[in-house]
Amino acid sequence: MKPMRKLSRITLLVMAHPDDPEMSCGGSVAKWVKEGEVYYVIVSDGGKGSWNKDEKPYSVSNKREEEQERSAKYLGVKRVIFLQHPDGELENIPTLKIEIAALIRKIKPYRIVTNDPWARFFHPDHRIVGLAVISGIMIARDWHFYPFLREIGLNPFRPEKLLLTPTDTPNLIMDITETIEKKIKALRFHKSQIENHPKWENNIRKWAREIAKNSDFEYGEAFYEMDL
């Protein structure tokens, strides 16, 4: 017997680092919050996200969590869940797929958005998180994985959609022409990450315009969408 689906428009983003949600799909988040609740799960603590050799990782982590909270609140995200695993060391977290599965069963999202593990992107944390989410979805939807989850009231749940981003092989381009300004304002909260990139705003617009170049709208965000 297949687990029952919950008909809702809850969106769950599971991303490797603070700022990944806004950077990859902040314009889409600004649209999804109008459909229903949006939750973030940020897997790493982001503690290595600084070029300043004298800044301590715990200081970087605290700063980035605060930035992420403010950015998410501005976009209308209901809650940000920080797993606080060490930045750059996610391959050493054997429980990650189970943590994600448990949160999927609890939140019951219609769609899940995560890093594309097959994209040509430099940071290995993105690949690890994307693959962990795929494994977590399988665990979350099937009865016989990790029976202890049922014992604590987390029964199987099957989301409807999985969206991978950023991606090299998009099959879904979201129109963010009306929300690109919200995306840019949301990114401004991540001051620690953008302060050394004076042309970041122009680059965001250029990237979004390039994504939408074959569409009938000006700005877009790209996803590889899968039915589950």
Side-chain angles (χ1 to χ4, degrees), residues 8-11 31-37 110-111 174:
S8 70
R9 289 294 179 176
I10 294 174
T11 300
K31 299 179 75 168
W32 291 326
V33 296
K34 297 178 181 180
E35 298 180 4
E37 296 174 350
Y110 165 79
R111 70 169 67 86
M174 289 280 289

Side-chain angles (χ1 to χ4, degrees), residues 134-171:
I134 291 169
S135 295
I137 290 170
M138 183 181 68
I139 294 167
R141 72 185 185 180
D142 292 338
W143 286 97
H144 300 296
F145 283 95
Y146 300 97
F148 84 91
L149 291 170
R150 301 199 308 272
E151 294 298 325
I152 59 174
L154 297 175
N155 288 324
F157 179 81
R158 180 191 292 262
E160 296 275 352
K161 303 284 185 181
L162 173 63
L163 278 64
L164 305 176
T165 188
T167 183
D168 299 330
T169 55
N171 61 2

Side-chain angles (χ1 to χ4, degrees), residues 19-193:
D19 85 359
D20 282 348
E22 290 80 20
M23 187 65 69
S24 61
C25 56
S28 298
V29 171
K31 299 179 75 168
W32 291 326
V33 296
K34 297 178 181 180
E35 298 180 4
E37 296 174 350
V38 176
Y39 294 82
Y40 287 177
V41 172
I42 306 300
V43 175
S44 86
D45 62 10
K48 297 182 177 69
S50 174
W51 292 104
N52 183 353
K53 65 182 178 60
D54 297 320
E55 192 170 15
K56 303 299 184 185
Y58 68 82
S59 175
V60 177
S61 176
N62 289 340
K63 183 189 302 182
R64 295 191 70 186
E65 281 197 11
E66 291 172 1
E67 291 172 344
Q68 181 63 90
E69 288 276 19
R70 291 197 295 270
S71 182
K73 182 178 180 180
Y74 168 74
L75 286 175
V77 173
K78 184 174 179 63
R79 186 179 176 197
V80 183
I81 300 166
F82 296 100
L83 300 187
Q84 298 182 326
H85 292 302
D87 190 4
E89 302 176 39
L90 300 186
E91 71 274 13
N92 300 320
I93 312 300
T95 61
L96 183 54
K97 64 183 180 182
I98 306 171
E99 295 174 47
I100 293 169
L103 289 168
I104 292 170
R105 289 190 181 194
K106 180 176 175 61
I107 295 170
K108 298 179 172 59
Y110 165 79
R111 70 169 67 86
I112 296 177
V113 185
T114 192
N115 306 107
D116 186 342
W118 298 287
R120 290 170 293 180
F121 193 83
F122 185 74
H123 206 305
D125 281 353
H126 286 217
R127 181 180 68 255
I128 292 161
V129 168
L131 292 174
V133 168
I134 291 169
S135 295
I137 290 170
M138 183 181 68
I139 294 167
R141 72 185 185 180
D142 292 338
W143 286 97
H144 300 296
F145 283 95
Y146 300 97
F148 84 91
L149 291 170
R150 301 199 308 272
E151 294 298 325
I152 59 174
L154 297 175
N155 288 324
F157 179 81
R158 180 191 292 262
E160 296 275 352
K161 303 284 185 181
L162 173 63
L163 278 64
L164 305 176
T165 188
T167 183
D168 299 330
T169 55
N171 61 2
L172 172 65
I173 306 297
M174 289 280 289
D175 178 3
I176 63 161
T177 305
E178 294 183 358
T179 57
I180 190 166
E181 296 304 325
K182 294 204 76 171
K183 175 188 177 95
I184 288 170
K185 288 180 181 178
L187 281 166
R188 287 185 183 138
F189 288 97
H190 296 281
K191 186 177 178 180
S192 68
Q193 302 304 296

